[in-house]
């Protein structure tokens, strides 16, 4: 009986020892074996077909609208008149300046004649004073006349044209009076300064008339510049199309007047260049470049076809908007030129059927390669602005730095640090993982 007990005990001891020896040592983890493969990652977004840019025509002047010469959806050519602004007030101002210039020219001639006749500055000043008094009387008369015409106009006794003429006469009289007053005061002040300087009468005469000539010349030059600016404004009262196109909207339709800087007409320019405009999330833009090829997919009359295009412009600013879920997002405008070649498989439909404003699906190629190393994004971790994976060597983890060329939502393309056939930890987000830890596959 004792022998049987003694035999059983060693067997139990050996069995326990076997279980202990067979127990594996190391942390169980999921692994990923590196291999090279073809990779293509795309981003899809909606786009709108456009036959050229949209042109906003702005008014450069303020005034009443005399006429709108076009209608929405009307085709126009470059130079066609779109809108006419009332320029009568500007023309009136120009006429006053022309009249003022004539007066200044006459004054200069008068000064030259008086100098030749050796008229003294005192006599010259007396004549200017008489001209000032005449101008003042004319100005006061014009004020009285306008006041009377205002009452007649308000009662309907005279026409607006008669009232406007009276107002124009007042403006002319006022300008003449102010010009005469400035001329007299300036001449009188300068003559007094010359008399105090101790110069001889001959020297005073010479300097006085030289000053008068310079003053008149400066006023004439100022007049000419004002006339030039008015000519530009008068020309701007006729608003024309800057390019061939179709009138898409007339924002001032129904308005009686405009202010400078306001949009009056919007035109979709005609162009043989077929384009697509798309709004791309700002996170995607760093992966796009001008010249990149995109795929454009159209659906027309229940049939589908696709063609290609190239990015021609990426705007350098983003616009804030809302996502379908109501979240804030930022998008950047991208312009795509469509290739002239119609490479659609279904020749029943193609680019010939596409019209301005049609929608399309734009497929942007973010990354493409026939043979690259990729790893799951879960295998990567970052320390000190560097990227790492845990490579497995001799059943131990080795912290290995890698260089990432591209990252999608699920994988990253690795250009340095790993080779085909290497084995790595598939999930790095585990506090038990560290350099040198012994591991085994799950």
């Amino acid at each position: 009986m004792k022998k049987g007990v003694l035999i059983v005990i060693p067997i139990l001891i050996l069995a326990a020892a076997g279980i202990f020896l067979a127990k594996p040592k190391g942390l169980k983890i999921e692994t990923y074996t590196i291999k090279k493969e073809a990779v293509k990652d795309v981003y899809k977004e909606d786009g709108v077909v456009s036959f050229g840019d949209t042109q906003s025509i702005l008014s450069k002047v303020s005034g009443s609208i005399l006429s709108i010469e076009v209608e929405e959806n009307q085709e126009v050519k470059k130079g066609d008149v779109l809108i006419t602004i009332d320029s009568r007030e500007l023309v009136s101002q120009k006429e006053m300046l022309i009249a003022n210039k004539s007066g200044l020219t006459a004054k200069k001639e008068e000064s030259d004649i008086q100098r030749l006749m050796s008229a003294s500055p005192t006599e010259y000043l007396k004549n200017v004073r008489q001209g000032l008094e005449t101008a003042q009387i004319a100005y006061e008369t014009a004020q009285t006349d306008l006041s009377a015409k205002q009452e007649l106009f308000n009662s309907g006794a005279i026409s607006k044209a008669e009232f406007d003429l009276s107002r124009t006469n007042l403006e002319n009289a006022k300008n003449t009076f102010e010009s005469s007053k400035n001329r007299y005061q300036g001449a009188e002040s300068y003559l007094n300064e010359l008399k105090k300087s101790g110069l001889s009468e001959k020297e005073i005469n010479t300097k006085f008339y030289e000053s008068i000539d310079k003053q008149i010349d400066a006023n004439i030059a100022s007049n000419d510049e004002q006339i030039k600016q008015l000519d530009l404004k008068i020309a701007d009262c006729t608003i024309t199309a800057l390019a061939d196109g179709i009138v898409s909207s007339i924002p001032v339709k129904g308005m009686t007047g405009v202010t400078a800087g306001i949009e009056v007409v919007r035109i979709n320019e005609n162009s043989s260049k077929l384009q697509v405009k798309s709004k791309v999330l700002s996170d995607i833009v760093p992966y796009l470049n001008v010249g990149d090829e995109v795929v454009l997919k159209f659906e027309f009359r229940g049939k589908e076809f696709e063609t290609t295009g190239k990015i021609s412009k990426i705007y350098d600013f983003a616009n804030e908007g809302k996502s379908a879920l109501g979240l804030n997002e930022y998008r950047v405008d991208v312009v795509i030129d469509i290739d002239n070649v119609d490479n659609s498989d279904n020749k029943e439909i193609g680019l010939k059927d596409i019209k301005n404003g049609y929608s399309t699906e734009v497929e942007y190629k973010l990354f493409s390669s026939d043979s690259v190393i990729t790893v799951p994004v879960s295998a990567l971790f970052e320390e000190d602005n560097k990227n790492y994976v845990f490579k497995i060597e001799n059943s131990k983890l080795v912290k290995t730095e890698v260089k990432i060329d591209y990252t999608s939502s699920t994988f990253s393309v690795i250009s340095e640090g790993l080779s085909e056939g290497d084995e790595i930890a598939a999930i790095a987000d585990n506090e038990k993982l560290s350099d040198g830890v012994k591991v085994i596959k799950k």
Side-chain angles (χ1 to χ4, degrees):
M1 190 69 178
K2 292 183 178 178
K3 284 185 179 180
V5 173
L6 291 173
I7 292 170
V8 171
I9 293 172
I11 291 173
L12 292 173
I13 294 171
L14 289 172
I19 292 172
F20 179 76
L21 291 172
K23 185 178 180 180
K25 293 182 178 180
L27 181 65
K28 286 186 178 182
I29 64 169
E30 292 183 16
T31 62
Y32 178 82
T33 302
I34 302 300
K35 57 183 180 294
K36 288 188 175 181
E37 56 187 345
V39 173
K40 180 182 178 181
D41 193 27
V42 299
Y43 167 77
K44 297 180 180 180
E45 192 60 78
D46 293 334
V48 178
V49 175
S50 170
F51 286 86
D53 293 331
T54 299
Q55 182 188 97
S56 292
I57 308 295
L58 308 180
S59 176
K60 295 181 180 179
V61 295
S62 300
S64 301
I65 297 176
L66 283 183
S67 63
I68 298 177
E69 306 291 340
V70 292
E71 297 179 352
E72 292 177 355
N73 298 318
Q74 179 179 331
E75 187 173 349
V76 294
K77 298 292 184 182
K78 181 179 180 180
D80 284 355
V81 177
L82 305 175
I83 292 179
T84 303
I85 308 298
D86 191 350
S87 62
R88 286 176 293 184
E89 185 68 28
L90 296 172
V91 171
S92 177
Q93 292 177 30
K94 178 182 175 181
E95 289 174 350
M96 286 190 290
L97 287 170
I98 291 174
N100 189 53
K101 179 181 177 180
S102 298
L104 290 170
T105 303
K107 295 300 181 184
K108 185 174 181 182
E109 291 173 354
E110 177 188 333
S111 172
D112 291 340
I113 291 172
Q114 289 180 339
R115 184 191 310 190
L116 290 173
M117 294 178 65
S118 299
S120 69
T122 301
E123 293 175 357
Y124 173 84
L125 202 60
K126 180 180 178 182
N127 292 332
V128 173
R129 175 67 184 177
Q130 290 174 348
L132 172 59
E133 291 172 351
T134 301
Q136 184 174 4
I137 292 171
Y139 178 39
E140 291 171 351
T141 301
Q143 285 178 309
T144 302
D145 179 68
L146 181 63
S147 180
K149 292 288 176 61
Q150 179 74 64
E151 292 183 9
L152 293 172
F153 176 69
N154 291 341
S155 65
I158 63 172
S159 67
K160 186 175 186 299
E162 289 180 272
F163 173 71
D164 287 341
L165 178 61
S166 179
R167 185 170 58 180
T168 299
N169 290 336
L170 174 61
E171 287 295 326
N172 288 333
K174 178 182 178 182
N175 289 336
T176 301
F177 168 67
E178 290 181 347
S179 176
S180 297
K181 183 172 69 173
N182 292 336
R183 182 169 164 235
Y184 174 75
Q185 290 175 346
E188 183 182 41
S189 176
Y190 186 62
L191 179 58
N192 290 334
E193 289 180 11
L194 291 175
K195 288 179 177 179
K196 292 176 182 179
S197 65
L199 297 174
S200 65
E201 185 175 346
K202 183 177 181 180
E203 290 172 328
I204 289 175
N205 286 6
T206 300
K207 286 185 175 294
F208 178 80
Y209 283 112
E210 284 178 354
S211 173
I212 294 300
D213 287 346
K214 287 180 180 179
Q215 182 182 354
I216 294 175
D217 287 340
N219 289 337
I220 290 175
S222 175
N223 237 63
D224 287 340
E225 180 60 28
Q226 291 179 65
I227 291 172
K228 179 181 176 182
Q229 294 302 319
L230 281 172
D231 281 336
L232 294 175
K233 287 186 176 182
I234 291 169
D236 288 336
C237 285
T238 303
I239 301 174
T240 59
L242 302 179
D244 296 353
I246 296 174
V247 177
S248 60
S249 67
I250 307 172
V252 296
K253 192 173 183 179
M255 296 171 59
T256 58
V258 297
T259 55
I262 192 174
E263 182 183 38
V264 293
V265 177
R266 190 174 301 151
I267 294 175
N268 286 339
E269 294 182 24
N270 288 340
S271 174
S272 58
K273 184 191 297 182
L274 190 59
Q275 294 182 322
V276 167
K277 295 182 178 180
S278 177
K279 294 184 181 295
V280 176
L281 287 172
S282 57
D283 295 347
I284 300 297
V285 171
Y287 298 106
L288 305 181
N289 297 285
V290 171
D292 285 353
E293 186 177 272
V294 302
V295 176
L296 303 165
K297 297 182 179 180
F298 294 90
E299 184 175 346
F300 187 67
R301 295 174 187 165
K303 298 178 181 179
E304 296 181 352
F305 78 94
E306 67 178 48
T307 186
T308 58
K310 290 184 178 178
I311 297 175
S312 60
K313 184 174 182 179
I314 301 174
Y315 284 74
D316 55 3
F317 59 90
N319 296 305
E320 185 178 2
K322 295 287 185 181
S323 69
L325 299 176
L327 303 175
N328 289 340
E329 63 181 15
Y330 293 88
R331 290 181 176 270
V332 175
D333 288 333
V334 175
V335 180
I336 299 154
D337 290 343
I338 300 179
D339 294 340
N340 293 326
V341 179
D342 193 342
N343 53 10
S344 56
D345 294 332
N346 188 342
K347 293 305 177 183
E348 294 180 17
I349 59 171
L351 294 181
K352 65 183 184 300
D353 301 299
I354 301 305
K355 306 298 181 184
N356 193 62
Y358 278 22
S359 62
T360 179
E361 181 186 80
V362 186
E363 185 178 279
Y364 296 94
K365 183 169 62 178
L366 303 184
F367 186 88
S368 180
S369 178
D370 294 332
S371 179
V372 289
I373 288 173
T374 63
V375 300
V377 292
S378 60
L380 291 157
F381 64 98
E382 186 178 333
E383 287 184 6
D384 299 327
N385 295 322
K386 294 181 180 180
N387 296 294
Y388 297 90
V389 297
F390 283 120
K391 188 160 62 172
I392 302 172
E393 295 180 359
N394 299 322
S395 299
K396 290 184 178 182
L397 296 181
V398 178
K399 180 180 171 183
T400 305
E401 184 180 352
V402 293
K403 181 179 178 182
I404 299 174
D405 269 4
Y406 175 77
T407 295
S408 74
S409 59
T410 58
F411 67 86
S412 292
V413 176
I414 305 300
S415 59
E416 294 179 14
L418 294 174
S419 301
E420 192 170 14
D422 286 345
E423 201 168 25
I424 63 172
I427 302 175
D429 187 16
N430 186 335
E431 60 183 12
K432 294 181 180 180
L433 301 186
S434 62
D435 199 29
V437 169
K438 193 168 184 178
V439 294
I440 56 175
K441 294 182 182 179
K442 277 189 176 180

